[in-house]
């Protein structure tokens, strides 16, 4: 988490951080009323059939992600959920704490970030790679940081 805060502070990014009990699901986030602070998106880390492409899909919490359709839209082979080992390797994160802020650990710039168009111009809440804190940040600022890091970004209507 300190690495993420350092990046945000070094870049003079305006953000708000909230400490809370550990949460693993969108339902748990709603139970502690964290979503009243801003939109808390759902994050899904996927891999393609041969494990050479990885996607972090971030969308509104009420959306259902059709993985088969998404694979077609992305011109990818079959997609499936990435293993905990891949989560750790590519984003330095454990299951339940997946976050687009994990881009800072993607040393090989291997992860493709897929964002729901609905997030544009919103303030969103994302974990700083641990699920007992949430950082609220403008979506467009987050995207700029990811672009500067060099990761590919795809915008879709999910």
């Amino acid at each position: 988490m300190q690495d993420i805060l350092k990046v945000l502070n070094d870049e003079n990014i305006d953000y708000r951080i909230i400490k809370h009990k550990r949460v693993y699901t969108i339902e748990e986030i709603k139970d502690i009323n964290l979503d009243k602070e801003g939109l808390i998106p759902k994050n899904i880390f996927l891999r393609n059939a041969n494990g050479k492409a990885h996607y972090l899909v971030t969308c509104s919490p009420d959306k259902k992600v059709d993985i088969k359709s998404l694979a077609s839209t992305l011109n990818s082979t079959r997609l499936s959920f990435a293993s905990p080992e891949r989560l750790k390797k590519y984003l330095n994160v454990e299951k339940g704490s997946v976050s687009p802020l994990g881009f800072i650990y993607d040393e090989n710039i291997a992860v493709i970030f897929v964002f729901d168009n609905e997030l544009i111009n919103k303030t969103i809440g994302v974990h700083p790679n641990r699920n007992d804190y949430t950082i609220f940040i403008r979506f467009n600022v987050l995207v700029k940081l990811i672009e500067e890091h060099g990761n590919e970004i795809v915008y879709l209507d999910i």
Side-chain angles (χ1 to χ4, degrees):
M1 180 171 87
Q2 293 307 318
D3 295 341
I4 291 170
L5 295 178
K6 180 174 179 1
V7 168
L8 296 177
N9 291 328
D10 287 353
E11 295 289 325
N12 292 314
I13 303 296
D14 185 32
Y15 68 92
R16 191 169 75 253
I17 187 166
I18 296 177
K19 170 95 170 101
H20 51 76
K21 74 175 192 168
R22 290 195 178 279
V23 290
Y24 296 90
T25 66
I26 295 295
E27 290 74 28
E28 289 176 331
I29 288 169
K30 289 179 180 177
D31 286 347
I32 62 170
N33 293 318
L34 193 56
D35 57 338
K36 72 178 183 199
E37 302 289 334
L39 180 68
I40 311 282
K42 175 181 356 186
N43 296 288
I44 304 169
F45 192 55
L46 304 170
R47 58 166 277 198
N48 71 348
N50 66 8
K52 295 192 186 218
H54 294 83
Y55 303 89
L56 178 59
V57 180
T58 303
C59 63
S60 293
D62 57 336
K63 300 259 179 117
K64 288 214 178 247
V65 179
D66 180 342
I67 295 174
K68 186 174 181 181
S69 173
L70 181 62
S72 175
T73 302
L74 294 171
N75 293 317
S76 173
T77 55
R78 183 184 52 82
L79 294 174
S80 61
F81 291 97
S83 67
E85 294 78 20
R86 286 177 188 269
L87 278 170
K88 189 69 172 168
K89 177 181 177 181
Y90 289 96
L91 298 174
N92 192 34
V93 69
E94 307 290 330
K95 186 177 176 184
S97 300
V98 178
S99 168
L101 288 172
F103 80 87
I104 71 167
Y105 301 108
D106 185 14
E107 295 173 1
N108 296 318
I109 309 171
V111 177
I112 299 167
F113 289 80
V114 180
F115 290 116
D116 185 355
N117 282 323
E118 196 172 300
L119 301 177
I120 295 172
N121 296 321
K122 300 237 166 92
T123 294
I124 63 169
V126 292
H127 294 312
N129 285 24
R130 49 186 290 180
N131 61 1
D132 58 344
Y133 286 87
T134 298
I135 291 177
F136 288 90
I137 186 171
R138 294 290 303 165
F139 173 74
N140 299 355
V141 171
L142 174 63
V143 166
K144 182 175 180 249
L145 290 170
I146 295 169
E147 286 173 341
E148 288 172 356
H149 188 258
N151 291 82
E152 181 180 343
I153 297 175
V154 176
Y155 297 94
L156 298 174
D157 288 321
I158 296 177

